[in-house]
Amino acid sequence: MADARLTLTHKSQALEILRTTHQASISELQIEALDDLIPTLQEELALDEKWREWAEAYVEDDGTLFRMHRKHGFSKSSTFSALRNALLLPPPRAELSEPHPSVTLTISPPDPPTLHICLTYLTHTSLHSFKQTLLFCYEKLRLYLLEHEQLGFYCVLDLGGARIRDILSDIVPWYTTDLQPRYPSMCAATFIINYTWMYGGLWSVFRRIAPAQALSRIFFVTMEDLEMYFPACLAPPEPLSPVYSYPSLSHVSWEERPHSPIHFSVLEHPPPQRTRWKLFMTLTRMLGERMRSARWWKRWRWFGWILLLLVVRWWFTRRRPRRPVPR
């Protein structure tokens, strides 16, 4: 993890150099978008002035334009096309009617802000609320990065209790089509905690299709690693306040924020152990709990223990080497 922190520091310095180098191209893109693209889209699609205000503020964000320009290989035509597609997406909401408790934000200047996503609270019926809350937080983070002249934030992803079906069928396609094009490469690093053996297949597929640049920003860590090398990414021991209850994002101390009954499972789960023995013990414990609650086991458990002892005795007798019979 010490190497990861050093790598992220070097990447941040390299991004600042690239940003200064391509500032002229970014300015040209902004002028062309403000003079031609936004008026054309507003006239063709009959968009209101509220959309135009948001679009102009989005285009004037140097950090967003730089990240988009870098993602498309510093090609002006590709960046302009991606910018047009991003402006065609529905603008984020100014307020949330049904915020989701899985998303919170911590700010510890001068470190980058940290977005905490805890999938334990995610259910199939709350997916829409989760998407709207995450989109709202990304827009707030974009404004925060613009105000403090930073290029990215950190994300702590808690996989404890998450269901893979919901992740694959809903969240991943929505993230790649709606969220990522609008906020490209804004996440500087993702720290995944509480990962278990059930995500091994998902990760083996993802690392074959994801670009190397995205894989270099993903780290599988424990709470001890975060506490030692990235203490600003830790959630405080007290209940977190969700980002949607903040009157602003300029809080310096935790005493200034309102309290919330949301607790994070990142401080409750032990570090995962991905071994076959741990998997066997977990399955055995689950089977034992299910059998102890069954009525037939309470009646016939004595017969089951006798049968188990006979099987163990037969197994050891079978594996014992036979002595040659003297003639």
mmCIF file of all heavy atoms in Angstrom, residues 94-128:
data_model
loop_
_atom_site.group_PDB
_atom_site.id
_atom_site.type_symbol
_atom_site.label_atom_id
_atom_site.label_comp_id
_atom_site.label_asym_id
_atom_site.label_seq_id
_atom_site.Cartn_x
_atom_site.Cartn_y
_atom_site.Cartn_z
ATOM 1 N N ALA A 94 -31.174 19.019 -8.709
ATOM 2 C CA ALA A 94 -30.655 19.937 -7.696
ATOM 3 C C ALA A 94 -30.945 19.442 -6.284
ATOM 4 O O ALA A 94 -30.221 19.759 -5.348
ATOM 5 C CB ALA A 94 -31.250 21.328 -7.897
ATOM 6 N N GLU A 95 -32.018 18.649 -6.120
ATOM 7 C CA GLU A 95 -32.378 18.095 -4.822
ATOM 8 C C GLU A 95 -32.801 16.645 -4.998
ATOM 9 O O GLU A 95 -33.152 16.201 -6.102
ATOM 10 C CB GLU A 95 -33.515 18.898 -4.176
ATOM 11 C CG GLU A 95 -33.162 20.346 -3.878
ATOM 12 C CD GLU A 95 -34.320 21.089 -3.244
ATOM 13 O OE1 GLU A 95 -35.402 20.464 -3.106
ATOM 14 O OE2 GLU A 95 -34.150 22.268 -2.895
ATOM 15 N N LEU A 96 -32.791 15.912 -3.892
ATOM 16 C CA LEU A 96 -33.173 14.499 -3.895
ATOM 17 C C LEU A 96 -34.425 14.315 -3.051
ATOM 18 O O LEU A 96 -34.481 14.765 -1.907
ATOM 19 C CB LEU A 96 -32.041 13.633 -3.345
ATOM 20 C CG LEU A 96 -30.828 13.424 -4.248
ATOM 21 C CD1 LEU A 96 -29.773 12.620 -3.521
ATOM 22 C CD2 LEU A 96 -31.219 12.718 -5.539
ATOM 23 N N SER A 97 -35.403 13.636 -3.637
ATOM 24 C CA SER A 97 -36.623 13.352 -2.888
ATOM 25 C C SER A 97 -36.500 12.078 -2.057
ATOM 26 O O SER A 97 -37.038 11.987 -0.957
ATOM 27 C CB SER A 97 -37.809 13.223 -3.854
ATOM 28 O OG SER A 97 -37.554 12.203 -4.819
ATOM 29 N N GLU A 98 -35.783 11.073 -2.578
ATOM 30 C CA GLU A 98 -35.604 9.804 -1.870
ATOM 31 C C GLU A 98 -34.130 9.436 -1.863
ATOM 32 O O GLU A 98 -33.679 8.604 -2.648
ATOM 33 C CB GLU A 98 -36.427 8.695 -2.537
ATOM 34 C CG GLU A 98 -37.930 8.921 -2.504
ATOM 35 C CD GLU A 98 -38.689 7.807 -3.188
ATOM 36 O OE1 GLU A 98 -38.015 6.876 -3.680
ATOM 37 O OE2 GLU A 98 -39.921 7.854 -3.222
ATOM 38 N N PRO A 99 -33.337 10.038 -1.000
ATOM 39 C CA PRO A 99 -31.910 9.714 -0.957
ATOM 40 C C PRO A 99 -31.676 8.302 -0.440
ATOM 41 O O PRO A 99 -32.435 7.785 0.379
ATOM 42 C CB PRO A 99 -31.330 10.771 -0.018
ATOM 43 C CG PRO A 99 -32.499 11.194 0.824
ATOM 44 C CD PRO A 99 -33.715 11.079 -0.038
ATOM 45 N N HIS A 100 -30.615 7.684 -0.924
ATOM 46 C CA HIS A 100 -30.286 6.319 -0.540
ATOM 47 C C HIS A 100 -29.184 6.333 0.522
ATOM 48 O O HIS A 100 -28.216 7.085 0.399
ATOM 49 C CB HIS A 100 -29.827 5.533 -1.771
ATOM 50 C CG HIS A 100 -29.911 4.058 -1.591
ATOM 51 N ND1 HIS A 100 -28.931 3.330 -0.950
ATOM 52 C CD2 HIS A 100 -30.864 3.172 -1.960
ATOM 53 C CE1 HIS A 100 -29.282 2.050 -0.951
ATOM 54 N NE2 HIS A 100 -30.431 1.919 -1.548
ATOM 55 N N PRO A 101 -29.300 5.509 1.562
ATOM 56 C CA PRO A 101 -28.301 5.539 2.648
ATOM 57 C C PRO A 101 -26.984 4.870 2.315
ATOM 58 O O PRO A 101 -26.094 4.839 3.159
ATOM 59 C CB PRO A 101 -29.019 4.792 3.775
ATOM 60 C CG PRO A 101 -29.935 3.852 3.082
ATOM 61 C CD PRO A 101 -30.413 4.590 1.855
ATOM 62 N N SER A 102 -26.825 4.320 1.104
ATOM 63 C CA SER A 102 -25.596 3.607 0.769
ATOM 64 C C SER A 102 -24.464 4.525 0.351
ATOM 65 O O SER A 102 -23.332 4.068 0.215
ATOM 66 C CB SER A 102 -25.860 2.603 -0.361
ATOM 67 O OG SER A 102 -26.740 1.595 0.068
ATOM 68 N N VAL A 103 -24.735 5.794 0.111
ATOM 69 C CA VAL A 103 -23.737 6.708 -0.440
ATOM 70 C C VAL A 103 -23.517 7.852 0.530
ATOM 71 O O VAL A 103 -24.475 8.518 0.934
ATOM 72 C CB VAL A 103 -24.187 7.254 -1.810
ATOM 73 C CG1 VAL A 103 -23.083 8.093 -2.428
ATOM 74 C CG2 VAL A 103 -24.582 6.119 -2.740
ATOM 75 N N THR A 104 -22.281 8.076 0.932
ATOM 76 C CA THR A 104 -21.925 9.206 1.767
ATOM 77 C C THR A 104 -20.596 9.782 1.280
ATOM 78 O O THR A 104 -19.893 9.162 0.483
ATOM 79 C CB THR A 104 -21.789 8.827 3.251
ATOM 80 O OG1 THR A 104 -20.824 7.782 3.356
ATOM 81 C CG2 THR A 104 -23.105 8.386 3.821
ATOM 82 N N LEU A 105 -20.262 10.949 1.793
ATOM 83 C CA LEU A 105 -19.075 11.662 1.349
ATOM 84 C C LEU A 105 -18.336 12.202 2.553
ATOM 85 O O LEU A 105 -18.947 12.777 3.456
ATOM 86 C CB LEU A 105 -19.469 12.816 0.415
ATOM 87 C CG LEU A 105 -18.343 13.663 -0.158
ATOM 88 C CD1 LEU A 105 -17.507 12.838 -1.118
ATOM 89 C CD2 LEU A 105 -18.926 14.868 -0.865
ATOM 90 N N THR A 106 -17.024 12.004 2.590
ATOM 91 C CA THR A 106 -16.181 12.572 3.636
ATOM 92 C C THR A 106 -15.170 13.510 2.997
ATOM 93 O O THR A 106 -14.627 13.223 1.930
ATOM 94 C CB THR A 106 -15.435 11.479 4.420
ATOM 95 O OG1 THR A 106 -14.623 10.720 3.512
ATOM 96 C CG2 THR A 106 -16.412 10.547 5.100
ATOM 97 N N ILE A 107 -14.927 14.623 3.664
ATOM 98 C CA ILE A 107 -14.007 15.634 3.161
ATOM 99 C C ILE A 107 -12.984 15.917 4.245
ATOM 100 O O ILE A 107 -13.340 16.296 5.362
ATOM 101 C CB ILE A 107 -14.756 16.922 2.776
ATOM 102 C CG1 ILE A 107 -15.755 16.621 1.670
ATOM 103 C CG2 ILE A 107 -13.792 18.010 2.343
ATOM 104 C CD1 ILE A 107 -16.626 17.797 1.298
ATOM 105 N N SER A 108 -11.710 15.715 3.922
ATOM 106 C CA SER A 108 -10.617 15.943 4.862
ATOM 107 C C SER A 108 -9.508 16.698 4.140
ATOM 108 O O SER A 108 -8.540 16.094 3.679
ATOM 109 C CB SER A 108 -10.086 14.625 5.429
ATOM 110 O OG SER A 108 -11.108 13.903 6.077
ATOM 111 N N PRO A 109 -9.678 18.001 3.963
ATOM 112 C CA PRO A 109 -8.641 18.779 3.277
ATOM 113 C C PRO A 109 -7.299 18.647 4.003
ATOM 114 O O PRO A 109 -7.262 18.500 5.228
ATOM 115 C CB PRO A 109 -9.174 20.208 3.331
ATOM 116 C CG PRO A 109 -10.637 20.066 3.582
ATOM 117 C CD PRO A 109 -10.787 18.832 4.397
ATOM 118 N N PRO A 110 -6.169 18.660 3.266
ATOM 119 C CA PRO A 110 -6.059 18.880 1.807
ATOM 120 C C PRO A 110 -6.144 17.618 0.972
ATOM 121 O O PRO A 110 -5.883 17.672 -0.222
ATOM 122 C CB PRO A 110 -4.665 19.509 1.698
ATOM 123 C CG PRO A 110 -3.884 18.842 2.783
ATOM 124 C CD PRO A 110 -4.851 18.610 3.923
ATOM 125 N N ASP A 111 -6.471 16.462 1.589
ATOM 126 C CA ASP A 111 -6.596 15.222 0.818
ATOM 127 C C ASP A 111 -7.815 15.283 -0.084
ATOM 128 O O ASP A 111 -8.762 16.038 0.177
ATOM 129 C CB ASP A 111 -6.714 14.026 1.765
ATOM 130 C CG ASP A 111 -5.443 13.814 2.562
ATOM 131 O OD1 ASP A 111 -4.356 13.945 1.975
ATOM 132 O OD2 ASP A 111 -5.537 13.546 3.774
ATOM 133 N N PRO A 112 -7.829 14.484 -1.143
ATOM 134 C CA PRO A 112 -9.019 14.468 -2.007
ATOM 135 C C PRO A 112 -10.239 13.979 -1.238
ATOM 136 O O PRO A 112 -10.129 13.203 -0.280
ATOM 137 C CB PRO A 112 -8.622 13.475 -3.122
ATOM 138 C CG PRO A 112 -7.135 13.431 -3.094
ATOM 139 C CD PRO A 112 -6.742 13.648 -1.668
ATOM 140 N N PRO A 113 -11.435 14.410 -1.618
ATOM 141 C CA PRO A 113 -12.645 13.900 -0.953
ATOM 142 C C PRO A 113 -12.824 12.413 -1.219
ATOM 143 O O PRO A 113 -12.319 11.875 -2.210
ATOM 144 C CB PRO A 113 -13.765 14.733 -1.594
ATOM 145 C CG PRO A 113 -13.203 15.190 -2.888
ATOM 146 C CD PRO A 113 -11.732 15.381 -2.673
ATOM 147 N N THR A 114 -13.524 11.747 -0.326
ATOM 148 C CA THR A 114 -13.728 10.303 -0.424
ATOM 149 C C THR A 114 -15.215 10.003 -0.521
ATOM 150 O O THR A 114 -15.999 10.439 0.327
ATOM 151 C CB THR A 114 -13.133 9.579 0.797
ATOM 152 O OG1 THR A 114 -11.754 9.907 0.906
ATOM 153 C CG2 THR A 114 -13.276 8.071 0.639
ATOM 154 N N LEU A 115 -15.572 9.248 -1.530
ATOM 155 C CA LEU A 115 -16.950 8.799 -1.712
ATOM 156 C C LEU A 115 -17.071 7.380 -1.184
ATOM 157 O O LEU A 115 -16.372 6.479 -1.651
ATOM 158 C CB LEU A 115 -17.331 8.852 -3.200
ATOM 159 C CG LEU A 115 -18.741 8.399 -3.560
ATOM 160 C CD1 LEU A 115 -19.767 9.393 -3.022
ATOM 161 C CD2 LEU A 115 -18.899 8.250 -5.066
ATOM 162 N N HIS A 116 -17.940 7.176 -0.193
ATOM 163 C CA HIS A 116 -18.160 5.862 0.407
ATOM 164 C C HIS A 116 -19.427 5.253 -0.184
ATOM 165 O O HIS A 116 -20.499 5.870 -0.142
ATOM 166 C CB HIS A 116 -18.309 5.970 1.926
ATOM 167 C CG HIS A 116 -17.100 6.518 2.606
ATOM 168 N ND1 HIS A 116 -16.138 5.718 3.184
ATOM 169 C CD2 HIS A 116 -16.693 7.797 2.799
ATOM 170 C CE1 HIS A 116 -15.195 6.479 3.708
ATOM 171 N NE2 HIS A 116 -15.512 7.746 3.483
ATOM 172 N N ILE A 117 -19.292 4.057 -0.727
ATOM 173 C CA ILE A 117 -20.431 3.332 -1.295
ATOM 174 C C ILE A 117 -20.513 1.987 -0.587
ATOM 175 O O ILE A 117 -19.630 1.142 -0.736
ATOM 176 C CB ILE A 117 -20.292 3.136 -2.811
ATOM 177 C CG1 ILE A 117 -20.161 4.490 -3.503
ATOM 178 C CG2 ILE A 117 -21.484 2.371 -3.367
ATOM 179 C CD1 ILE A 117 -19.945 4.388 -5.002
ATOM 180 N N CYS A 118 -21.545 1.789 0.186
ATOM 181 C CA CYS A 118 -21.747 0.556 0.938
ATOM 182 C C CYS A 118 -22.932 -0.194 0.326
ATOM 183 O O CYS A 118 -24.084 0.229 0.469
ATOM 184 C CB CYS A 118 -21.990 0.864 2.410
ATOM 185 S SG CYS A 118 -22.227 -0.599 3.418
ATOM 186 N N LEU A 119 -22.649 -1.283 -0.367
ATOM 187 C CA LEU A 119 -23.694 -2.015 -1.074
ATOM 188 C C LEU A 119 -24.495 -2.937 -0.166
ATOM 189 O O LEU A 119 -25.359 -3.664 -0.647
ATOM 190 C CB LEU A 119 -23.080 -2.819 -2.222
ATOM 191 C CG LEU A 119 -22.378 -1.991 -3.301
ATOM 192 C CD1 LEU A 119 -21.860 -2.895 -4.415
ATOM 193 C CD2 LEU A 119 -23.313 -0.940 -3.869
ATOM 194 N N THR A 120 -24.219 -2.921 1.137
ATOM 195 C CA THR A 120 -24.998 -3.745 2.054
ATOM 196 C C THR A 120 -26.457 -3.321 2.074
ATOM 197 O O THR A 120 -27.361 -4.137 2.204
ATOM 198 C CB THR A 120 -24.397 -3.647 3.466
ATOM 199 O OG1 THR A 120 -23.019 -4.010 3.410
ATOM 200 C CG2 THR A 120 -25.127 -4.571 4.422
ATOM 201 N N TYR A 121 -26.698 -2.020 1.938
ATOM 202 C CA TYR A 121 -28.055 -1.492 2.020
ATOM 203 C C TYR A 121 -28.779 -1.526 0.678
ATOM 204 O O TYR A 121 -29.909 -1.062 0.582
ATOM 205 C CB TYR A 121 -28.018 -0.048 2.517
ATOM 206 C CG TYR A 121 -27.317 0.116 3.841
ATOM 207 C CD1 TYR A 121 -26.002 0.566 3.893
ATOM 208 C CD2 TYR A 121 -27.957 -0.179 5.033
ATOM 209 C CE1 TYR A 121 -25.352 0.716 5.106
ATOM 210 C CE2 TYR A 121 -27.310 -0.035 6.244
ATOM 211 C CZ TYR A 121 -26.008 0.414 6.273
ATOM 212 O OH TYR A 121 -25.366 0.556 7.469
ATOM 213 N N LEU A 122 -28.138 -2.034 -0.354
ATOM 214 C CA LEU A 122 -28.733 -2.011 -1.686
ATOM 215 C C LEU A 122 -29.695 -3.178 -1.870
ATOM 216 O O LEU A 122 -29.333 -4.327 -1.644
ATOM 217 C CB LEU A 122 -27.640 -2.062 -2.755
ATOM 218 C CG LEU A 122 -28.110 -1.944 -4.192
ATOM 219 C CD1 LEU A 122 -28.784 -0.612 -4.437
ATOM 220 C CD2 LEU A 122 -26.946 -2.136 -5.151
ATOM 221 N N THR A 123 -30.913 -2.885 -2.278
ATOM 222 C CA THR A 123 -31.913 -3.892 -2.590
ATOM 223 C C THR A 123 -32.449 -3.634 -3.994
ATOM 224 O O THR A 123 -32.215 -2.577 -4.585
ATOM 225 C CB THR A 123 -33.079 -3.859 -1.581
ATOM 226 O OG1 THR A 123 -33.687 -2.569 -1.612
ATOM 227 C CG2 THR A 123 -32.567 -4.167 -0.176
ATOM 228 N N HIS A 124 -33.174 -4.608 -4.507
ATOM 229 C CA HIS A 124 -33.683 -4.475 -5.867
ATOM 230 C C HIS A 124 -34.711 -3.345 -5.973
ATOM 231 O O HIS A 124 -34.803 -2.676 -7.012
ATOM 232 C CB HIS A 124 -34.304 -5.797 -6.313
ATOM 233 C CG HIS A 124 -34.776 -5.777 -7.735
ATOM 234 N ND1 HIS A 124 -33.898 -5.784 -8.804
ATOM 235 C CD2 HIS A 124 -36.024 -5.727 -8.273
ATOM 236 C CE1 HIS A 124 -34.590 -5.748 -9.941
ATOM 237 N NE2 HIS A 124 -35.863 -5.726 -9.643
ATOM 238 N N THR A 125 -35.453 -3.108 -4.915
ATOM 239 C CA THR A 125 -36.480 -2.062 -4.960
ATOM 240 C C THR A 125 -35.902 -0.660 -4.780
ATOM 241 O O THR A 125 -36.580 0.322 -5.084
ATOM 242 C CB THR A 125 -37.526 -2.314 -3.861
ATOM 243 O OG1 THR A 125 -36.866 -2.381 -2.590
ATOM 244 C CG2 THR A 125 -38.252 -3.633 -4.122
ATOM 245 N N SER A 126 -34.656 -0.556 -4.292
ATOM 246 C CA SER A 126 -34.069 0.767 -4.057
ATOM 247 C C SER A 126 -32.999 1.120 -5.075
ATOM 248 O O SER A 126 -32.216 2.042 -4.851
ATOM 249 C CB SER A 126 -33.464 0.824 -2.648
ATOM 250 O OG SER A 126 -32.398 -0.106 -2.529
ATOM 251 N N LEU A 127 -32.952 0.410 -6.201
ATOM 252 C CA LEU A 127 -31.927 0.676 -7.203
ATOM 253 C C LEU A 127 -32.092 2.063 -7.817
ATOM 254 O O LEU A 127 -31.111 2.771 -8.058
ATOM 255 C CB LEU A 127 -31.971 -0.388 -8.305
ATOM 256 C CG LEU A 127 -31.234 -1.693 -8.011
ATOM 257 C CD1 LEU A 127 -31.469 -2.692 -9.116
ATOM 258 C CD2 LEU A 127 -29.754 -1.444 -7.837
ATOM 259 N N HIS A 128 -33.328 2.479 -8.079
ATOM 260 C CA HIS A 128 -33.552 3.789 -8.676
ATOM 261 C C HIS A 128 -33.085 4.894 -7.737
ATOM 262 O O HIS A 128 -32.432 5.860 -8.170
ATOM 263 C CB HIS A 128 -35.030 3.960 -9.008
ATOM 264 C CG HIS A 128 -35.363 5.306 -9.589
ATOM 265 N ND1 HIS A 128 -35.004 5.671 -10.880
ATOM 266 C CD2 HIS A 128 -36.001 6.388 -9.052
ATOM 267 C CE1 HIS A 128 -35.410 6.911 -11.106
ATOM 268 N NE2 HIS A 128 -36.019 7.369 -10.023
#
